Amino acid sequence: MSGLKTLFKQTFIYGLATVLPRMLSFILVPLYTTKGVLSSVAEYGEVSVIFSYFVLFNVVLAYGLETAFFRFFNKDEDKDTVIGTSAISLIISSFLFFIIALIFQSQIANYIDINVKYINLVIWILLFDALVIIPFAWLRATQRPMRYAVIKILNVAINLGLNLFFLLALKKLAISNSFFDSIYKPNFEISYIFIANLISSGITLLLMTPFYAKIKYIFNTDLWKNMMRYAFPVLIAGVAFSINETFDRILLKELLPANVAETDIGMYSACYKISLFMTLFATAYRLGIEPFFFSHAKSVNPQKNYAKILEFFVALGSVILLFVVVFADILKPIIVRSEAYWEAMWVVPIILIANFCLGIYHNLSVWYKITDKTKFGAYISIVGAVVTLIINFMFIEAYSYKASAVATLAAYAIMMMLSYYYGRKYYPIPYNLNKIGLYLLLSIGLSFMSFYEFRANYVVGISMLIVFLGIVVISEKNELKKIFNR
């Protein structure tokens, strides 16, 4: 149980590093969806499409090396060689991408139908973000969560501050000040968004340069080949995951009529953000458990702790799911400021449940990471991506973003079930299926009833939430005492 206490301490700090910065950046959604900041819902849709490509290329440029780094750092005695090999590999690949992308930026812009001035900014941001992957992984692997947290929070705080400056303050300052007038450009809002991102990413890289100054640049070819064999399935899984996560925006742009595509993408992307509460929780939990999984793999009966970790995740996630659904219409005007976006609120429970399933999948995925069977992660993610693509291609023209939301849920639910099925065969973990199933069925059922049958009826919704919370507290009372009394 002491291992679980360590987990929760690390999860709390990594939660600060992930949840608080993203809560700060959460302000960007109300900012972008406030009337007058961006010219239209369609313009926010264009930003969303570009960020979808960000997700895909961030995965490609990482090529599974972060996960491979964790694995080999924990099992290889020569840690300096692991660090050096990983760093050299990432430096070479990042600059190779950077040079090729700059040379062909016009062709890329024409192919994906995005203005070349945005492509140029994106290329620089991708380079900076790629170069901090291993330094951040090293901080996590060496259990330095505070430094990790401070730099992550600073990154988003700078990004947020610059967004507020460029989109709200600069235009007003330019009226009375010649300096600000010289840097202000009308109808330049999308560029300002990415310039803010570029500056924050550049400062983050600058703060991480001490890592590159003190490591030993040792490159072991055999080690690198072993790491790539481990990382390649993770890369495939990551690409498939990016398809599940964001490719629907790209498909919406391609498959819907041009006069409605970006508007629908804007509405969908804005309301999608309301599910961020579940995403934040699942991400913070994952950041805490991933090093824990590897470091405790050789301990006595680690499966028992892994089972308890999933049980706690489902319990907490179920409460978050029901809470956000019950109060969705109260959260709506706070997060998505303009009524022009609210038509897509239908997707909120669907996306929340989808991200809940994804969080469970990440917890279940311990089996193939511990047993070095990462190819199963790739297979499962590919199945999810195929499901996403099939449903989107078949139903987007008729149902627009509703089809995309259902596709996301179907993909993550199938991935969750496949991971459990194969995990039971190759690395059995004694999950308490009765309790986990009860939490899932109750929270999902009550969420659907609250949103689609008793929407905005807070007497019914809050009553459901109180009853469910009582069930969770009573069920987990003994385990919580064991954790906090030690």
Side-chain angles (χ1 to χ4, degrees):
M1 194 59 70
S2 60
L4 287 177
K5 288 189 71 173
T6 301
L7 167 67
F8 284 116
K9 286 178 183 178
Q10 289 192 0
T11 299
F12 175 74
I13 298 174
Y14 285 123
L16 289 177
T18 304
V19 176
L20 288 182
R22 292 195 184 185
M23 288 305 292
L24 287 172
S25 67
F26 204 33
I27 299 173
L28 293 176
V29 180
L31 174 63
Y32 296 158
T33 57
T34 297
K35 291 181 180 179
V37 173
L38 297 180
S39 62
S40 65
V41 176
E43 196 164 78
Y44 181 64
E46 186 175 4
V47 172
S48 299
V49 170
I50 296 172
F51 275 114
S52 296
Y53 282 109
F54 255 117
V55 173
L56 176 61
F57 280 97
N58 276 328
V59 170
V60 172
L61 289 175
Y63 52 91
L65 192 59
E66 181 182 25
T67 303
F69 174 84
F70 281 127
R71 182 57 172 159
F72 284 83
F73 187 87
N74 279 284
K75 81 172 188 177
D76 200 306
E77 292 184 3
D78 190 356
K79 299 188 186 305
D80 286 339
T81 301
V82 174
I83 295 170
T85 300
S86 302
I88 292 170
S89 178
L90 201 67
I91 290 170
I92 293 173
S93 60
S94 298
F95 278 101
L96 187 62
F97 157 81
F98 176 72
I99 293 168
I100 294 172
L102 279 184
I103 293 172
F104 294 102
Q105 60 182 308
S106 297
Q107 291 86 340
I108 295 170
N110 290 331
Y111 183 74
I112 63 178
D113 192 25
I114 292 176
N115 194 306
V116 70
K117 64 182 179 182
Y118 306 143
I119 296 296
N120 186 272
L121 291 169
V122 167
I123 291 169
W124 280 96
I125 296 167
L126 288 170
L127 172 68
F128 292 164
D129 288 349
L131 290 174
V132 298
I133 291 171
I134 295 302
F136 274 126
W138 176 76
L139 288 177
R140 289 172 60 197
T142 55
Q143 298 187 6
R144 303 186 188 189
M146 288 304 298
R147 181 169 173 78
Y148 179 96
V150 169
I151 296 175
K152 284 284 187 179
I153 292 171
L154 184 62
N155 171 278
V156 181
I158 293 170
N159 196 342
L160 170 63
L162 289 173
N163 268 274
L164 292 171
F165 171 73
F166 285 132
L167 299 180
L168 293 182
L170 182 58
K171 185 176 181 179
K172 296 176 182 178
L173 291 170
I175 297 173
S176 57
N177 186 290
S178 59
F179 171 75
F180 291 116
D181 182 59
S182 66
I183 61 174
Y184 171 71
K185 293 184 180 181
N187 303 315
F188 203 66
E189 287 78 14
I190 294 179
S191 290
Y192 282 140
I193 290 171
F194 293 110
I195 289 171
N197 200 321
L198 175 64
I199 294 171
S200 62
S201 294
I203 292 173
T204 300
L205 176 59
L206 187 64
L207 292 172
M208 299 301 284
T209 50
F211 166 84
Y212 285 108
K214 66 184 178 184
I215 66 171
K216 297 178 180 179
Y217 287 91
I218 306 168
F219 189 84
N220 185 307
T221 304
D222 291 334
L223 172 63
W224 182 79
K225 289 178 180 178
N226 289 332
M227 293 181 76
M228 288 303 100
R229 277 193 287 269
Y230 185 90
F232 182 72
V234 178
L235 166 63
I236 300 302
V239 171
F241 169 76
S242 69
I243 292 173
N244 294 330
E245 184 70 10
T246 61
F247 208 70
D248 51 3
R249 278 74 154 184
I250 297 170
L251 291 177
L252 285 165
K253 183 178 180 181
E254 295 298 323
L255 299 177
L256 289 176
N259 61 324
V260 300
E262 289 187 342
T263 299
D264 276 17
I265 295 168
M267 292 190 296
Y268 174 55
S269 298
C271 291
Y272 196 108
K273 294 293 185 182
I274 298 176
S275 70
L276 184 66
F277 295 100
M278 183 65 73
T279 307
L280 292 173
F281 164 67
T283 303
Y285 211 89
R286 180 178 61 82
L287 286 171
I289 65 173
E290 195 167 60
F292 177 88
F293 282 158
F294 288 124
S295 62
H296 286 72
K298 296 180 181 178
S299 63
V300 178
N301 193 19
Q303 293 91 334
K304 185 178 179 180
N305 278 341
Y306 296 159
K308 189 56 63 178
I309 286 168
L310 179 61
E311 186 180 314
F312 285 145
F313 177 85
V314 174
L316 292 171
S318 296
V319 173
I320 293 170
L321 167 63
L322 188 53
F323 179 89
V324 176
V325 169
V326 168
F327 295 106
D329 285 307
I330 294 176
L331 297 169
K332 174 179 67 180
I334 299 172
I335 300 168
V336 183
R337 302 296 293 275
S338 173
E339 295 181 13
Y341 295 85
W342 294 354
E343 182 183 318
M345 279 296 292
W346 183 90
V347 307
V348 170
I350 305 295
I351 297 300
L352 277 165
I353 297 168
N355 283 312
F356 192 14
C357 290
L358 178 62
I360 296 172
Y361 166 75
H362 282 308
N363 277 267
L364 292 170
S365 68
V366 59
W367 70 268
Y368 65 73
K369 293 180 179 179
I370 293 301
T371 59
D372 290 347
K373 296 182 183 295
T374 51
K375 63 182 181 181
F376 280 92
Y379 299 154
I380 293 169
S381 295
I382 289 170
V383 170
V386 170
V387 170
T388 296
L389 293 173
I390 290 174
I391 295 177
N392 274 291
F393 274 114
M394 289 181 63
F395 298 108
I396 273 181
E397 290 186 11
Y399 299 102
S400 186
Y401 52 78
K402 291 184 178 180
S404 297
V406 172
T408 303
L409 174 57
Y412 290 154
I414 289 171
M415 288 168 60
M416 175 184 70
M417 290 185 286
L418 285 174
S419 186
Y420 171 74
Y421 173 78
Y422 285 107
R424 189 176 58 179
K425 290 180 62 177
Y426 294 102
Y427 191 80
I429 296 174
Y431 296 118
N432 189 336
L433 294 183
N434 291 332
K435 188 180 287 187
I436 291 171
L438 174 66
Y439 292 155
L440 278 175
L441 291 174
L442 267 180
S443 62
I444 292 173
L446 292 174
S447 295
F448 276 117
M449 288 177 61
S450 174
F451 193 85
Y452 297 112
E453 297 295 331
F454 299 99
R455 187 171 174 181
N457 186 333
Y458 295 107
V459 173
V460 174
I462 293 172
S463 297
M464 290 179 178
L465 183 59
I466 291 172
V467 170
F468 183 74
L469 188 59
I471 292 171
V472 172
V473 170
I474 292 170
S475 299
E476 302 298 336
K477 180 174 60 178
N478 293 333
E479 297 298 336
L480 291 171
K481 284 181 179 179
K482 290 179 183 179
I483 292 174
F484 293 110
N485 289 340
R486 282 177 177 254

